[in-house]
Amino acid sequence: QVQVAELGGGMVQSGDSLRLSCLGSGRTFNSYSVGWFRRRPGKEREIVAAIEWNGSKTYYTDSVKGRFTISRDSAKNMVSLQMDNLNPEDTAVYNCAAYPGSLSDSVYFVVDAYEYWGRGTQVIVSS
């Protein structure tokens, strides 16, 4: 059994930075790839970024490339999402989720492919 929980979130102003963390538990967490998703007001849940179980590859949606950085620290069972130059369009509930094994270009963005989900954390960016 794997569990994940999001840390961080809050209210910031446009141009600010924020760091989200996904804390995993369970003996096999480090064999899971992790994705960060978000649900913006009135929109469907979407992938933001993902990282392979061994950290060898990362994936980003176009709108956050160059602004967000995903990383993982296996010793701490943690996956972080550094978000820089935030704008109001980044306002959303952010969830992390765990996927068993390796991702691929055709899977990393598929919501239903991820097995374990956190409860989410709210990020509000004011202009």
Side-chain angles (χ1 to χ4, degrees):
Q1 182 78 11
V2 169
Q3 292 183 317
V4 294
E6 301 89 353
L7 304 172
M11 183 180 295
V12 296
Q13 293 187 326
S14 187
D16 285 351
S17 297
L18 204 58
R19 188 176 185 90
L20 305 181
S21 295
C22 177
L23 183 63
S25 62
R27 292 182 303 167
T28 59
F29 174 75
N30 286 331
S31 67
Y32 280 72
S33 297
V34 173
W36 278 100
F37 291 80
R38 68 184 179 187
R39 189 192 296 272
R40 293 184 282 178
K43 298 193 177 182
E44 297 291 319
R45 180 173 285 165
E46 62 179 352
I47 186 70
V48 176
I51 188 166
E52 290 284 0
W53 66 274
N54 59 1
S56 62
K57 188 174 181 179
T58 56
Y59 307 80
Y60 296 94
T61 193
D62 286 346
S63 63
V64 307
K65 284 180 180 177
R67 300 190 299 123
F68 291 13
T69 304
I70 189 171
S71 62
R72 73 185 300 158
D73 184 338
S74 296
K76 297 181 179 179
N77 278 11
M78 189 170 288
V79 174
S80 297
L81 184 68
Q82 176 67 37
M83 305 186 294
D84 297 323
N85 195 22
L86 286 160
N87 60 64
E89 287 293 304
D90 296 315
T91 294
V93 175
Y94 286 73
N95 294 86
C96 67
Y99 175 89
S102 295
L103 294 165
S104 69
D105 289 340
S106 61
V107 167
Y108 78 93
F109 55 88
V110 179
V111 173
D112 291 343
Y114 289 75
E115 284 192 9
Y116 301 102
W117 290 79
R119 293 186 174 185
T121 186
Q122 177 78 58
V123 173
I124 298 174
V125 184
S126 61
S127 57

